[in-house]
Amino acid sequence: MSENHVQWRNKCYFVYPGDHPHLVVSTAKKLHGWWRGSRECTSERMLINPYCGCSVGCRFCYARSFPGWFQLFRDKNIIVVAKDFQREVSRQLDSIDVASCGYLSPVSDPFQPLNNKFHISELIIDEFTKRNIPIEFITKCRVPASVLDKLTVNRHNFGQVSILTGDSCLNRILVPNGAHHQVLFDNIMRMSKKNIFSVLRIDPVLPYLNDKKQDLKELIKKASVFGAKHVITSVLDIPVSLKNEFLDFVKSEFGTNISDRYRALYTERIGNYWHAKLAYRLSVFDFLKNEVAKEGMSFALCMEYQILKDGSRRGLNKDYMTSVNCEGIDIPVYRRSGFYFYPASDCLGNCLNCSEAVCGIEDLAMAKDSSKFDWQLKDYKRWSKMLK
């Protein structure tokens, strides 16, 4: 086997060399909703991942703990590209008459450097926008101008920009191949000029690294000036399987003192993740909520919990979220009429807290029963038949 090939899952794959080694595979993976487990995400989304692995290279990325192709990325730094995934997305969208907002993408940056070669993210956005189905993105990279032009066609399209710090040196260590923070703020400004709802994500806050109050205050104020309407944050959680690997990174880059402080702080295990002590997290959230309010923006947390005495989890958004939906924008479920999709009702799209199902889909009135929420493509097909 040559050096340009890798053995994986009993198959041999050709690896395209370069700054971002990758392999290309055909895929039949399905659009799907949130993962099984606890949930704080209020709205339904159709999750889309064109890349397994990410050439942005965040050293704290939780996706490195995921199974399957993500382990190839963790072990060998090889990214897996879903060949022609936009065609599969197109076929699936044509098979349903009910849709929620697309989410590009939850575990890899849609505009990562490797996307400049394949442009799969732009092609997927095309499939959503030409059907008038809303779509969002989250990125630490520059958003192509063509993407912003496409998003202007639907008022429910929006973008989230993750900016961890205004310190260029620290940013380069934490997010090696992400954009400079000035480029990221420019993303927010360009969206705002086109009346596209924009969100600042300070996500995650890494204790002792990007948690200085003055720096956070400046990020929030600048985002507000550039036009952001909403802020989302979380404190870093560390997958159990990656803890030693991550602490070794912290020690090598920031010294033994910081890594020792991490060991002392990360003592609360919730599921498969280590979380910072609750008191630390609450102090960060209290500060950020107040600063965001001063700038006239709304605020929410992303997947933050506390463990109660009986062992159950309590979502902290109950105490901190100042918007109806955790992403700051209210997007109803969409239904097909001919080729195009349109809002099914005047609902706010906050399915997790909904008890009325004005969209006509009782499953999505999850305030009545939130025991199931990992909706799949087959559920969208079932809802489509039911509504006919």
Side-chain angles (χ1 to χ4, degrees):
M1 187 169 61
S2 74
E3 63 179 12
N4 286 338
H5 288 79
V6 65
Q7 192 79 19
W8 190 256
R9 293 174 173 173
N10 299 319
K11 290 185 179 180
C12 183
Y13 295 92
F14 179 79
V15 178
Y16 294 87
D19 293 336
H20 310 294
H22 60 278
L23 56 88
V24 180
V25 298
S26 299
T27 181
K29 61 183 179 179
K30 304 289 192 297
L31 297 169
H32 61 86
W34 303 111
W35 296 279
R36 188 182 301 273
S38 296
R39 165 176 167 173
E40 281 279 82
C41 315
T42 55
S43 301
E44 290 310 308
R45 294 288 182 262
M46 294 193 293
L47 277 55
I48 314 158
N49 286 301
Y51 306 101
C52 289
C54 185
S55 49
V56 171
C58 301
R59 297 298 297 273
F60 51 83
C61 180
Y62 62 86
R64 292 173 179 268
S65 68
F66 286 7
W69 289 118
F70 286 97
Q71 288 307 295
L72 179 63
F73 174 64
R74 177 185 176 185
D75 295 343
K76 300 183 181 297
N77 202 37
I78 296 172
I79 298 167
V80 178
V81 179
K83 180 182 179 182
D84 296 329
F85 189 31
Q86 73 278 2
R87 296 180 183 175
E88 187 65 25
V89 168
S90 176
R91 184 185 66 79
Q92 292 175 34
L93 292 178
D94 284 343
S95 73
I96 57 177
D97 294 329
V98 177
S100 56
C101 180
Y103 187 133
L104 189 67
S105 56
V107 293
S108 56
D109 198 301
F111 306 121
Q112 60 179 284
L114 192 58
N115 186 67
N116 294 330
K117 177 177 180 178
F118 291 96
H119 301 286
I120 299 175
S121 295
E122 292 93 323
L123 294 171
I124 288 173
I125 289 172
D126 284 341
E127 298 301 331
F128 274 77
T129 56
K130 73 184 183 183
R131 292 171 174 81
N132 196 42
I133 303 173
I135 190 166
E136 65 159 302
F137 63 78
I138 298 179
T139 189
K140 293 184 179 74
C141 300
R142 187 180 189 278
V143 182
S146 62
V147 167
L148 298 185
D149 289 338
K150 293 167 186 174
L151 294 188
T152 60
V153 302
N154 187 319
R155 65 188 178 90
H156 289 135
N157 294 332
F158 71 105
Q160 303 189 56
V161 182
S162 183
I163 309 178
L164 301 185
T165 176
D167 183 329
S168 299
C169 294
L170 177 60
N171 191 67
R172 190 56 57 202
I173 294 171
L174 298 176
V175 190
N177 297 309
H180 188 277
H181 62 89
Q182 297 290 7
V183 174
L184 298 177
F185 279 116
D186 186 60
N187 283 342
I188 293 174
M189 181 179 68
R190 290 188 296 132
M191 280 191 283
S192 300
K193 286 183 176 180
K194 291 180 177 291
N195 293 316
I196 299 169
F197 189 89
S198 60
V199 178
L200 167 67
R201 293 188 74 103
I202 309 176
D203 180 25
V205 172
L206 291 91
Y208 319 125
L209 298 179
N210 69 333
D211 64 348
K212 297 178 179 63
K213 289 185 176 181
Q214 185 58 37
D215 293 344
L216 293 172
K217 186 182 297 187
E218 290 175 3
L219 284 184
I220 292 166
K221 186 172 185 62
K222 191 169 184 178
S224 175
V225 169
F226 278 60
K229 305 299 184 186
H230 183 67
V231 176
I232 297 175
T233 195
S234 71
V235 171
L236 174 74
D237 48 81
I238 306 172
V240 171
S241 62
L242 295 183
K243 184 175 182 180
N244 290 334
E245 182 179 319
F246 175 75
L247 291 179
D248 287 344
F249 157 72
V250 171
K251 183 177 180 178
S252 66
E253 293 289 347
F254 304 105
T256 302
N257 178 53
I258 297 295
S259 64
D260 287 346
R261 293 176 74 185
Y262 265 82
R263 291 186 187 277
L265 182 64
Y266 277 81
T267 59
E268 296 187 6
R269 179 167 176 173
I270 304 177
N272 292 322
Y273 292 85
W274 288 106
H275 290 252
K277 291 178 180 178
L278 181 63
Y280 172 86
R281 289 186 284 141
L282 296 184
S283 68
V284 171
F285 303 149
D286 286 335
F287 172 77
L288 290 176
K289 180 181 178 180
N290 289 332
E291 292 302 319
V292 169
K294 290 177 185 177
E295 299 301 328
M297 297 183 287
S298 54
F299 180 72
L301 307 179
C302 184
M303 302 297 286
E304 286 287 351
Y305 304 95
Q306 69 177 115
I307 296 294
L308 303 179
K309 291 181 179 180
D310 63 1
S312 63
R313 303 183 191 186
R314 179 181 180 274
L316 294 176
N317 255 336
K318 294 179 177 65
D319 304 323
Y320 290 95
M321 187 166 70
T322 62
S323 53
V324 173
N325 284 289
C326 55
E327 291 175 312
I329 182 172
D330 305 332
I331 305 177
V333 173
Y334 271 55
R335 289 177 61 178
R336 180 190 297 278
S337 177
F339 180 74
Y340 300 103
F341 286 71
Y342 300 94
S345 66
D346 291 330
C347 80
L348 298 175
N350 57 333
C351 302
L352 191 65
N353 302 319
C354 174
S355 59
E356 298 180 3
V358 293
C359 66
I361 302 172
E362 287 294 331
D363 284 346
L364 297 183
M366 294 171 58
K368 297 178 181 178
D369 179 11
S370 60
S371 60
K372 184 181 186 331
F373 55 74
D374 53 328
W375 307 115
Q376 305 295 317
L377 182 66
K378 63 182 180 181
D379 295 302
Y380 283 89
K381 292 181 177 180
R382 175 169 57 82
W383 297 333
S384 300
K385 292 180 180 179
M386 178 190 69
L387 291 173
K388 282 185 177 179

